[in-house]
Amino acid sequence: MDSGSQINFVSQSLVFFLNLPTKRCTEPYNASWVTQDCKTPITRSCLVEFLIGRQYKDKIWCDVIPITRTKFGVT
């Protein structure tokens, strides 16, 4: 696990596909870890509702990032 990354994010394409409402970030910032070539501006947030199993339901604010796919490594 990378203890340095503590951000909740959702891809811009998923937000568009599900037609989720967004709002402007109160403090926009640049995320350089999203793409290796340049800094990515983070300017929008989205409230994402999710369900785990049948019993746990929650909502979380996520920053919207312009990526279409990503890799997750598990060790």
Side-chain angles (χ1 to χ4, degrees):
M1 288 299 240
D2 177 13
S3 62
S5 298
Q6 297 178 6
I7 183 172
N8 298 318
F9 63 89
V10 62
S11 74
Q12 187 175 24
S13 54
L14 182 65
V15 169
F16 179 77
F17 180 77
L18 297 176
N19 197 29
L20 299 173
T22 63
K23 71 172 191 171
R24 275 201 164 298
C25 288
T26 54
E27 295 183 29
Y29 62 96
N30 289 320
S32 58
W33 55 267
V34 176
T35 59
Q36 295 177 357
D37 299 334
C38 62
K39 293 183 178 181
T40 303
I42 308 297
T43 59
R44 310 283 308 168
S45 294
C46 179
L47 186 61
V48 177
E49 186 173 346
F50 62 94
L51 180 68
I52 299 175
R54 295 182 182 188
Q55 297 179 351
Y56 185 79
K57 184 178 181 180
D58 206 348
K59 296 177 184 178
I60 190 167
W61 281 100
C62 297
D63 292 335
V64 179
I65 58 173
I67 62 170
T68 53
R69 64 187 118 150
T70 187
K71 295 180 183 177
F72 291 97
V74 178
T75 56

